[in-house]
Amino acid sequence: MLDMKSVEVSAPATIANLGPGFDVVGLAIENYRDVVHIELTDDKVISFEIVNNTSVAVASKAEENSAVISALKVMEYSGVRKGFKMKLVKNVPVGIGLGSSGASAAAAAFAMNILLSGKLPMEVLVKSAGEGEKVACGAPHLDNVAPSLYGGFTMILDVEKPEIFNIKPSVDFSIVLVTPRVSLPRNKTEYARSLLPKKVELETMVKQTASLTRLIVGLMSGNLEMVGRAISSDFVVEPARSIMIPRFYEVKEAALKSGALGFTISGAGPSVFALTYPEDAENILYEVLRKFNENDIEAKGIVAKPSWIGARIEEH
Amino acid sequence: MLDMKSVEVSAPATIANLGPGFDVVGLAIENYRDVVHIELTDDKVISFEIVNNTSVAVASKAEENSAVISALKVMEYSGVRKGFKMKLVKNVPVGIGLGSSGASAAAAAFAMNILLSGKLPMEVLVKSAGEGEKVACGAPHLDNVAPSLYGGFTMILDVEKPEIFNIKPSVDFSIVLVTPRVSLPRNKTEYARSLLPKKVELETMVKQTASLTRLIVGLMSGNLEMVGRAISSDFVVEPARSIMIPRFYEVKEAALKSGALGFTISGAGPSVFALTYPEDAENILYEVLRKFNENDIEAKGIVAKPSWIGARIEEH
């Protein structure tokens, strides 16, 4: 990989939080991938072009885009300062809880590291992408950028200095992903955070940690039922944020009744997701959409698969 | 086991909490075991005798002792009502954070279940012993009774209806257990709980859940270093309760410097413990005792081993 002048990298969308894993556990989703092409230049000029395949506007100024800032952070940690031309192809839907800016930041960090001889370890790329995200969006969302980079499920073991544990259970599963059309304030992520309680009762924290324990044990042992039950048992975030999703608990009940192993809000919402055995996925998707529609809420959804690779070079 | 009229069962002391695993994760300790002998009788009379080998008074009235109440709960769940004679030999030190009444309750539940043909599953015994503890001591302490019953490390997956995950990592380790002599209110457990914050900042909860994630991943993968680091990183309970242990942070630092993998308060305290490789244990014990003594705090301690069996029948 030495002496590469340009590279194209893609990184997947993600589902953060996973119920009791708020800000800690995330999952990469293969179906949407942002693509970043970077070419190093000998001047110190940065040029940035964006091709937006999503339906929502994204930060098109270089100094406001998470991908550019993430790439600059990788340069900073590598002790290099060159110019670059970046082209970002946005495919991950924006603002619906799928870690869109995190995917851009992850792809950019991965790409720039390759161009600088791949010296930084993955955890520093997580840090770089998180810092990029923070400048661009106000918060680092490590539980988004980490799965975008690693693929599979990732866990943040230390909030202050990124330490990641990555796991790819050897069981096949699908994710039913549904986005209801709801009108939310422009800065949706900030709004979603403002819904959260500032403080949590100690007793509630204990219930949450028991549920998180089930989630981690389930992931480590590849027990999908355990993972599902844990995802469905969030005592802090789901109760607070579900108010922005009309009929949330009815929809959740419909999903669980039709075979979902677990169901909750994806990231900051308003998308919701079900963890499911592949054979039940289409039926669950149908039931979730039906329940939203029955209540006059427009919604669209897909059956998604986990991304086991995370960020990767795109060959041409 | 059918038609047994009497049985003798022992159950080990425990370390509850394990840092970020407050009220959720516990460990059984082989070095101290309470012994319960129960003989069924055909009347409905309950007689209770206690042999106290510890240095502190314990509840000697049948209706106040966790072992008796626990045995009665097992009868209730089994749908049986007979009389019994119980003899309890207390070996687990009382009131220092080693789950003493939990060990009695666990042994009694296990014993009574055998006498009633062993029909109840372990998780119902945890529930019974927990309810016994609650009547006797005010709180169920499932993170004490579960390891006493199962042995090894146990995790509470649901606070409301006991579901337990039990793990016995195949790596050898020791526990350095030290009890400083400090004067505490008579109802120490209640006092230790009163020190805890009623509410926890959401940000602190996230730090705690990241640390708990490290603990569970470490336990599941048999990685002692991960377990140790997690034990040492408790953002909620240790900061609040350490005020009852003079020089706590100096002692912790001394333990970690002399090779402890992790260090924190055991259960409701005031005992402290270090997780350690067996070869470092004696040295850590020495350093911890020295640090307490250097500050004119009397302390005594042992190098302890995990209990891999939990509650067991004692043969004669």
Side-chain angles (χ1 to χ4, degrees):
Chain A
M1 283 195 218
L2 289 173
D3 289 334
M4 282 175 79
K5 274 285 176 202
S6 73
V7 69
E8 188 165 296
V9 162
S10 74
T14 51
I15 294 177
N17 297 352
L18 295 177
F22 176 63
D23 274 3
V24 169
V25 188
L27 168 66
I29 293 295
E30 185 59 28
N31 302 58
Y32 305 105
R33 302 183 74 90
D34 275 359
V35 180
V36 169
H37 183 277
I38 306 182
E39 183 186 343
L40 283 187
T41 57
D42 289 329
D43 50 30
K44 290 192 174 177
V45 178
I46 291 158
S47 79
F48 178 58
E49 179 196 347
I50 195 161
V51 178
N52 189 354
N53 294 329
T54 79
S55 59
V56 178
V58 289
S60 56
K61 287 183 190 163
E63 66 274 22
E64 290 174 4
N65 190 285
S66 68
V68 176
I69 303 166
S70 170
L72 285 168
K73 286 284 171 189
V74 170
M75 280 196 161
E76 189 182 320
Y77 287 122
S78 302
V80 177
R81 187 65 180 85
K82 293 196 170 192
F84 60 85
K85 292 181 186 170
M86 181 187 289
K87 181 178 165 187
L88 167 63
V89 183
K90 280 289 324 161
N91 297 316
V92 180
V94 179
I96 64 169
L98 289 180
S100 185
S101 59
S104 301
F110 196 83
M112 183 57 84
N113 190 43
I114 289 168
L115 293 175
L116 303 182
S117 311
K119 281 180 192 147
L120 298 183
M122 284 290 266
E123 295 191 338
V124 177
L125 300 186
V126 172
K127 185 176 158 76
S128 306
E131 288 176 359
E133 268 251 291
K134 191 173 179 179
V135 175
C137 335
H141 304 127
L142 296 185
D143 53 337
N144 284 127
V145 299
S148 258
L149 277 160
Y150 285 85
F153 292 93
T154 58
M155 311 167 193
I156 312 294
L157 304 183
D158 188 326
V159 176
E160 269 144 28
K161 42 176 185 324
E163 273 187 77
I164 311 297
F165 188 83
N166 173 238
I167 189 164
K168 293 161 184 168
S170 59
V171 281
D172 193 22
F173 63 90
S174 297
I175 296 288
V176 171
L177 197 57
V178 173
T179 311
R181 186 168 176 162
V182 291
S183 89
L184 292 169
R186 187 180 302 189
N187 196 334
K188 189 264 312 178
T189 305
E190 208 171 277
Y191 167 69
R193 203 153 276 256
S194 76
L195 295 175
L196 300 176
K198 300 255 174 309
K199 292 185 172 197
V200 174
E201 299 275 348
L202 186 66
E203 230 172 89
T204 307
M205 189 194 81
V206 171
K207 285 162 81 172
Q208 187 81 340
T209 53
S211 186
L212 176 66
T213 299
R214 189 197 298 276
L215 178 62
I216 308 300
V217 169
L219 288 172
M220 295 291 291
S221 56
N223 184 327
L224 283 188
E225 278 87 357
M226 283 184 87
V227 173
R229 276 196 56 194
I231 283 175
S232 289
S233 308
D234 167 8
F235 300 93
V236 175
V237 178
E238 185 188 274
R241 284 186 172 166
S242 53
I243 65 151
M244 70 174 162
I245 301 160
R247 311 284 174 166
F248 175 80
Y249 287 104
E250 280 173 48
V251 175
K252 180 173 180 171
E253 198 191 333
L256 295 174
K257 266 195 184 159
S258 51
L261 299 168
F263 184 92
T264 191
I265 302 165
S266 173
S271 297
V272 293
F273 75 98
L275 176 79
T276 159
Y277 289 119
E279 59 269 29
D280 298 329
E282 288 295 345
N283 185 42
I284 294 165
L285 176 60
Y286 175 82
E287 291 296 334
V288 167
L289 290 173
R290 200 171 68 118
K291 184 55 81 177
F292 273 126
N293 294 338
E294 197 177 283
N295 287 288
D296 292 324
I297 302 151
E298 270 183 64
K300 54 185 182 178
I302 59 168
V303 172
K305 293 303 283 183
S307 166
W308 295 132
I309 296 180
R312 65 170 180 236
I313 298 177
E314 294 291 319
E315 310 279 359
H316 288 282
Chain B
M1 281 194 217
L2 290 172
D3 290 334
M4 281 176 79
K5 275 283 175 201
S6 72
V7 68
E8 188 165 297
V9 162
S10 74
T14 51
I15 294 177
N17 298 350
L18 294 176
F22 176 63
D23 273 4
V24 169
V25 188
L27 168 66
I29 293 294
E30 185 60 28
N31 302 56
Y32 304 104
R33 302 184 74 91
D34 275 0
V35 180
V36 169
H37 184 277
I38 306 182
E39 183 187 342
L40 284 187
T41 57
D42 290 325
D43 50 32
K44 291 190 172 178
V45 178
I46 291 157
S47 79
F48 178 59
E49 178 195 352
I50 195 160
V51 179
N52 189 354
N53 294 329
T54 79
S55 59
V56 178
V58 289
S60 56
K61 287 184 190 163
E63 66 275 21
E64 291 173 4
N65 190 286
S66 67
V68 176
I69 303 165
S70 169
L72 285 168
K73 286 283 171 187
V74 170
M75 280 195 162
E76 190 182 317
Y77 287 121
S78 303
V80 177
R81 187 67 179 86
K82 293 196 171 192
F84 60 84
K85 292 180 186 171
M86 181 188 288
K87 180 179 167 184
L88 166 63
V89 183
K90 282 287 325 161
N91 296 316
V92 180
V94 178
I96 63 169
L98 289 180
S100 185
S101 59
S104 301
F110 196 84
M112 183 57 83
N113 190 43
I114 290 168
L115 294 176
L116 303 181
S117 313
K119 282 181 191 144
L120 299 183
M122 282 291 267
E123 297 192 336
V124 177
L125 299 187
V126 171
K127 186 176 157 75
S128 306
E131 289 176 357
E133 268 251 289
K134 191 171 181 183
V135 175
C137 337
H141 303 125
L142 296 185
D143 53 336
N144 284 125
V145 297
S148 258
L149 276 159
Y150 284 85
F153 292 93
T154 59
M155 311 166 192
I156 312 294
L157 305 182
D158 187 327
V159 176
E160 270 144 27
K161 43 178 183 323
E163 273 187 76
I164 311 298
F165 189 83
N166 173 238
I167 189 164
K168 293 161 185 170
S170 59
V171 280
D172 192 22
F173 64 90
S174 297
I175 295 288
V176 172
L177 197 57
V178 173
T179 310
R181 185 168 178 161
V182 290
S183 89
L184 292 170
R186 187 180 303 190
N187 196 334
K188 189 264 313 178
T189 304
E190 208 171 278
Y191 166 71
R193 202 152 275 255
S194 77
L195 296 175
L196 300 177
K198 300 256 176 304
K199 291 185 173 199
V200 174
E201 298 277 348
L202 186 66
E203 230 172 273
T204 307
M205 189 195 79
V206 171
K207 286 163 80 173
Q208 187 81 340
T209 54
S211 185
L212 175 66
T213 299
R214 189 196 299 276
L215 178 62
I216 308 300
V217 169
L219 288 172
M220 294 291 290
S221 56
N223 183 327
L224 283 189
E225 278 87 357
M226 284 184 86
V227 173
R229 275 197 55 195
I231 283 175
S232 289
S233 307
D234 167 8
F235 300 93
V236 176
V237 178
E238 186 189 273
R241 285 186 172 167
S242 52
I243 66 153
M244 70 174 162
I245 301 160
R247 310 282 175 169
F248 175 79
Y249 287 104
E250 279 173 50
V251 175
K252 180 173 180 171
E253 199 192 333
L256 294 174
K257 267 196 183 157
S258 51
L261 299 167
F263 185 91
T264 191
I265 301 165
S266 172
S271 296
V272 293
F273 74 98
L275 176 79
T276 161
Y277 289 120
E279 58 269 32
D280 299 329
E282 287 294 346
N283 184 41
I284 295 166
L285 176 59
Y286 175 81
E287 292 297 334
V288 168
L289 289 175
R290 200 172 65 121
K291 184 56 80 176
F292 273 126
N293 292 339
E294 195 176 285
N295 288 287
D296 292 324
I297 302 149
E298 270 183 64
K300 55 186 182 176
I302 58 167
V303 173
K305 294 303 282 182
S307 165
W308 295 130
I309 297 179
R312 68 171 179 237
I313 298 177
E314 295 290 320
E315 310 278 359
H316 289 278

